Amino acid sequence: MNGGTDMTLAFELAALEELAYPEQVFEDARSWSTYVGVVSEEPTYVVTNFTRKNRIRQDFFSGPRGKKESLEAVKDQFATERQVFIGTSEADEALADEVDWEYLSIEDAADAADWTVAASVEDDVDETEAGEKRDDWP
């Protein structure tokens, strides 16, 4: 990632779900970000279940608020030089622009930070399993 380490980094939950190893991504992001968290329109329990399952320690999350209100609150609460929102859609990009956050697609972020996207791991597994299929199976 370019820029300084005085940064607040917010992941849209859907972006984290596209990554093969979200726990490692958070650990990596912590090494060059001041604050790292998750925002989503999903209910709080969905975000909490995902972060617990993946052993993610977040500095903030959206809670019962929507993404817009959450990003505004995070920006007010965590004063850093940069605020970067990693999302998955044009709507996420428009939201980032609306609340004055930098936007980065999950694909671009993964490429820049050398994170593994889950689809690439699934493709590798599918190819391996394809070669191991039983010939006698109906």
Side-chain angles (χ1 to χ4, degrees), residues 81-130:
E81 289 179 16
R82 297 176 63 202
Q83 296 81 31
V84 179
F85 178 46
I86 298 177
T88 61
S89 67
E90 289 179 9
D92 286 341
E93 185 172 7
L95 173 61
D97 188 48
E98 181 181 347
V99 296
D100 199 29
W101 280 62
E102 295 175 45
Y103 177 78
L104 198 55
S105 72
I106 188 59
E107 295 84 5
D108 291 343
D111 186 50
D114 201 26
W115 298 331
T116 304
V117 176
S120 64
V121 172
E122 290 170 7
D123 289 345
D124 291 344
V125 170
D126 289 345
E127 289 172 13
T128 302
E129 290 174 354

Side-chain angles (χ1 to χ4, degrees), residues 12-13 19 21 25-26 32 38 41 47 50 54 59 63 65 74 83 91-92 95 101 114 116-118 122 125-126 132:
E12 163 40 83
L13 178 61
L19 297 169
Y21 311 106
V25 167
F26 249 70
W32 40 262
V38 180
E41 295 291 341
V47 176
F50 180 85
N54 290 286
D59 296 313
R65 297 178 280 216
V74 166
Q83 296 81 31
D92 286 341
L95 173 61
W101 280 62
D114 201 26
T116 304
V117 176
E122 290 170 7
V125 170
D126 289 345
E132 298 174 1

Side-chain angles (χ1 to χ4, degrees), residues 46-92:
V46 173
V47 176
T48 301
N49 286 343
F50 180 85
T51 56
R52 282 185 184 160
K53 176 183 165 191
N54 290 286
R55 299 177 186 219
I56 292 172
R57 183 180 56 86
Q58 54 191 339
D59 296 313
F60 60 86
F61 69 100
S62 50
R65 297 178 280 216
K67 291 188 285 189
K68 180 180 179 187
E69 187 180 348
S70 295
L71 291 173
E72 290 171 335
V74 166
K75 189 172 188 173
D76 289 342
Q77 185 176 0
F78 300 102
T80 54
E81 289 179 16
R82 297 176 63 202
Q83 296 81 31
V84 179
F85 178 46
I86 298 177
T88 61
S89 67
E90 289 179 9
D92 286 341

